[in-house]
Amino acid sequence: MTGRPETHPPIICMGRRENAIRLTALDEMAERRGLKRGQGLAEARAMFPDLDAIDEDEAADHALLEAIADWCDRYTPLVALDGRDGLFLDITGCAHLFGGEEALIRDILKGLFQMGFDVRAAISPSPGLSWASCRYGRGGVIEEEMAEASLAPLPVNALRLEEKLVTSLSKLGLKRVGDLIHLPRAPLARRFGAQLLFRLDQALGSHEEAISPRRPVVVLSAECRLAEPVQAEEHVLEWTGRIASSLTESLDARGVGGQVFELALFRVDGRVFRITAGASKPLRDPQRIAALFGERLTAVHDDLDAGFGFELLRLNVLQHDVLKTVQNDFTGDGEQQISLADFIDKVSARLGMDCLQVFELRQSHIPERAEMFLPAIAAPSPVPETGGIFKPRADRPLRLLRHPEPVDVFAATVPDGPPQRFRWRRVVHEVFRAEGPERISPEWWVTEKDASERDYFKLENRSGQRFWIFRKGHYGPDKVPPTWHVHGVFA
């Protein structure tokens, strides 16, 4: 207890844990009165009737932790979530950019404190030691040679062990990590299991522990920290072009161009905006890259609140592909292709990637599986280079229905003949000519329930309309009656 006056009752968050309502978060006042996380709400109210209890909001807590993780991306792209209230940052190769590890940790703590968060941070050779030092120690920078000395006075809970195992260790007087470090390992493993030694080795750094970043690792990245925050879109685009220029050399050295770019805008108050733009062809030209985001910023104008300005801009290359350099000819065909690619990029950036779609052929016997729609911007070759066009088979209908539509067949030649009359879309058609059947079977690896062989017929009614109809199933005793479907219409 301190001599500071209490200006408000203790505030706690409560939630259901192990079929009981327990304390999940405490303010400073509640901690000074001796309340603990995991304590039952009834016990806490008996101790302090004036307790102010608030229901926890897990979704809001997770969103807040994600927002803090976004803010931490300015220090390293490798940020991982640790449970409900922690973050792991892999700062390997990043500390020198901020003046060393001591300066880096001071900058992080200062920034989060200014945003109203009371946090503790640690930098150490292993994630396990950092986790233990933050939650049960003082935090700070721990050198590799001081790892064992820093870990020894901490309770065994700092090893991230199960509560049952912690209780068993405490009954034997093994309450500190230092009580375990120098004990024979074989008896410990026999009595308490391999998990105890595994966690101990992770904390000491003798067993490597990898963290899983919350965002994919980018291929290439460049950023610019601004002396004065920018707010206007034209200034954002100007700096985007400058950052893209710094990526040109790296892209050129790899012989590639970027296809999917991400612009991360770090606002001065900690909020981060991420804008993604794609190109139909690999790009290396800074002006064309900036133009992509010009269209994208126009589309998301109302959702982009610059506030007091953006202090850090980062351009990431999320996907790239080989960039083929082609010399322009005198006919201007090359310029036309560039013009079409620009059109696809601009429209997709402003209206969304799915607004323009193209066909991509697939190797499948089933007609509806033989082709699929893809966004034009993501197609392997959206701009034809040879001038050729896709020519469908002459024995297939020009109009293929997206999904086969069922029909009612009134008379059919048994067992494998065509129908004599059928009804489709409330219209009855009398069959005048028929050709078939053509049996089409699915690939052997397709296991869906509706993947079965089909018998296709070309039918023509008395008015000259031609249909492509298939029968699924066969006529016969002790068999389920087959079903008929229209799959296409000939010209």
Side-chain angles (χ1 to χ4, degrees), residues 306-341:
F308 292 102
F310 303 108
E311 61 179 351
L312 172 63
L313 280 71
R314 178 181 297 161
L315 183 62
N316 299 324
V317 181
L318 302 183
Q319 294 181 18
H320 64 77
D321 200 356
V322 177
L323 179 60
K324 298 179 181 179
T325 55
V326 180
Q327 181 177 353
N328 291 336
D329 54 19
F330 295 104
T331 64
D333 292 339
E335 292 297 328
Q336 292 178 4
Q337 292 183 10
I338 294 176
S339 199
L340 177 58

Side-chain angles (χ1 to χ4, degrees), residues 25-266:
L26 315 172
D27 71 344
E28 294 181 357
M29 192 74 67
E31 289 181 345
R32 286 201 299 269
R33 290 195 179 187
L35 297 178
K36 303 292 183 183
R37 285 190 181 184
Q39 189 175 4
L41 177 62
E43 180 184 356
R45 283 197 181 280
M47 297 170 58
F48 306 103
D50 61 339
L51 196 65
D52 189 1
I54 303 173
D55 290 327
E56 67 173 352
D57 188 340
E58 295 185 6
D61 291 342
H62 182 76
L64 177 61
L65 190 62
E66 287 276 1
I68 298 175
D70 276 335
W71 180 83
C72 290
D73 280 347
R74 66 185 63 214
Y75 299 103
T76 172
L78 304 179
V79 180
L81 301 181
D82 175 38
R84 299 168 178 263
D85 57 357
L87 295 174
F88 278 126
L89 278 66
D90 187 346
I91 60 170
T92 304
C94 301
H96 70 281
L97 301 174
F98 302 90
E101 294 178 347
E102 292 282 358
L104 173 60
I105 200 171
R106 284 198 304 267
D107 192 62
I108 294 176
L109 293 176
K110 178 182 176 182
L112 292 175
F113 177 78
Q114 290 176 344
M115 288 188 284
F117 297 106
D118 182 16
V119 298
R120 187 178 297 166
I123 298 178
S124 74
S126 68
L129 181 56
S130 296
W131 190 94
S133 182
C134 281
R135 285 171 166 76
Y136 296 93
R138 298 181 177 179
V141 179
I142 304 174
E143 302 295 338
E144 186 172 0
E145 58 272 12
M146 297 298 296
E148 182 176 327
S150 301
L151 188 63
L154 302 182
V156 292
N157 307 63
L159 296 179
R160 297 175 289 177
L161 302 174
E162 296 180 358
E163 189 64 30
K164 183 178 179 181
L165 181 55
V166 172
T167 303
S168 299
L169 292 170
S170 299
K171 290 180 179 179
L172 297 178
L174 303 175
K175 300 182 179 180
R176 302 289 174 183
V177 179
D179 300 334
L180 302 171
I181 293 179
H182 300 293
L183 290 178
R185 299 175 66 87
L188 282 176
R190 283 196 302 268
R191 182 156 189 173
F192 300 105
Q195 185 71 11
L196 174 61
L197 298 180
F198 177 73
R199 288 299 193 185
L200 181 60
D201 290 340
Q202 281 185 331
L204 293 174
S206 56
H207 191 286
E208 186 176 356
E209 180 182 0
I211 67 172
S212 299
R214 51 188 285 272
R215 300 181 58 83
V217 180
V218 299
V219 180
L220 289 172
S221 180
E223 66 179 40
C224 181
R225 296 176 182 272
L226 306 179
E228 292 291 335
V230 296
Q231 294 176 303
E233 290 185 7
E234 56 268 23
H235 295 158
V236 172
L237 292 177
E238 178 185 354
W239 281 105
T240 301
R242 295 183 185 182
I243 300 173
S245 299
S246 64
L247 284 174
T248 303
E249 184 176 351
S250 299
L251 292 171
D252 186 42
R254 301 187 180 200
V256 300
Q259 276 199 293
V260 180
F261 301 88
E262 180 189 65
L263 179 63
L265 305 173
F266 294 77

Side-chain angles (χ1 to χ4, degrees), residues 335-406:
E335 292 297 328
Q336 292 178 4
Q337 292 183 10
I338 294 176
S339 199
L340 177 58
D342 281 340
F343 171 75
I344 294 175
D345 295 345
K346 289 181 179 180
V347 174
S348 299
R350 179 169 295 192
L351 303 179
M353 296 183 62
D354 295 331
C355 65
L356 296 177
Q357 295 187 332
V358 296
F359 283 110
E360 184 180 52
L361 300 181
R362 300 289 187 182
Q363 293 188 3
S364 176
H365 301 300
I366 305 300
E368 63 266 27
R369 294 176 181 267
E371 60 189 15
M372 66 176 298
F373 285 105
L374 284 179
I377 199 170
S381 181
V383 181
E385 298 181 357
T386 61
I389 60 174
F390 168 67
K391 296 181 179 180
R393 291 175 50 179
D395 58 345
R396 292 289 185 263
L398 290 178
R399 181 188 175 192
L400 191 70
L401 302 180
R402 181 71 65 88
H403 302 286
E405 298 182 7

Side-chain angles (χ1 to χ4, degrees), residues 368 404 449-456 469-475 480-485:
E368 63 266 27
K449 294 181 179 180
D450 59 344
S452 59
E453 63 182 15
R454 304 172 179 177
D455 288 339
Y456 278 85
I469 294 181
F470 70 85
R471 182 188 65 235
K472 183 184 294 186
H474 302 278
Y475 291 103
V480 178
T483 57
W484 292 82
H485 301 78

